[in-house]
Amino acid sequence: MNDIIQSKPFENVDSEYMAINDVLDRDIQILDFKTFENDKGEGVFILCKDAETGLVFHICTHSVGLVGTMQNPKIREVLDTGDIIATKIVQRKSTKSDRLVYSFA
């Protein structure tokens, strides 16, 4: 985990790592993302901007719901045109189990 916190996944952007629980239920704007794979499986770095404060930060997650959404080619198309995606990250109960999962609102 320390490697993730120390890494700078977006070379030309000054962003700090933020834990996903620290951004729950906040209005954010997705600016970019990068997928990766490691010993824990598929993951994604998401470059975000806090809609209220303007703070630019990145999160890192292996959440199946978030990774799957970010792998949708339409997400890349939107971001490649220079647009942003306004959203929130929330926790909800899984439709398949009783566990809490992360998803976009």
Side-chain angles (χ1 to χ4, degrees):
M1 186 63 167
N2 204 23
D3 291 343
I4 290 171
I5 293 171
Q6 300 297 326
S7 71
K8 297 287 184 187
F10 303 96
E11 298 92 30
N12 298 324
V13 179
D14 188 24
S15 66
E16 296 296 320
Y17 168 79
M18 196 171 255
I20 197 165
N21 286 336
D22 292 339
V23 300
L24 283 179
D25 301 314
R26 289 170 48 181
D27 290 320
I28 60 171
Q29 300 167 338
I30 296 176
L31 308 174
D32 199 0
F33 72 94
K34 288 186 177 181
T35 57
F36 66 91
E37 191 161 340
N38 64 12
D39 60 332
K40 293 181 182 178
E42 292 182 325
V44 66
F45 288 104
I46 305 173
L47 182 64
C48 306
K49 182 177 181 180
D50 185 294
E52 187 176 314
T53 66
L55 175 70
V56 176
F57 60 92
H58 63 274
I59 60 174
C60 179
T61 184
H62 287 279
S63 166
V64 173
L66 298 181
V67 172
T69 298
M70 296 310 294
Q71 289 176 335
N72 182 326
K74 292 183 187 266
I75 299 292
R76 176 53 59 203
E77 283 179 34
V78 169
L79 296 175
D80 283 349
T81 65
D83 286 341
I84 58 168
I85 299 171
T87 190
K88 288 182 182 183
I89 297 174
V90 297
Q91 269 192 315
R92 62 171 178 77
K93 271 199 175 182
S94 169
T95 56
K96 297 178 182 176
S97 71
D98 220 16
R99 296 175 50 182
L100 286 176
V101 296
Y102 295 110
S103 67
F104 292 109

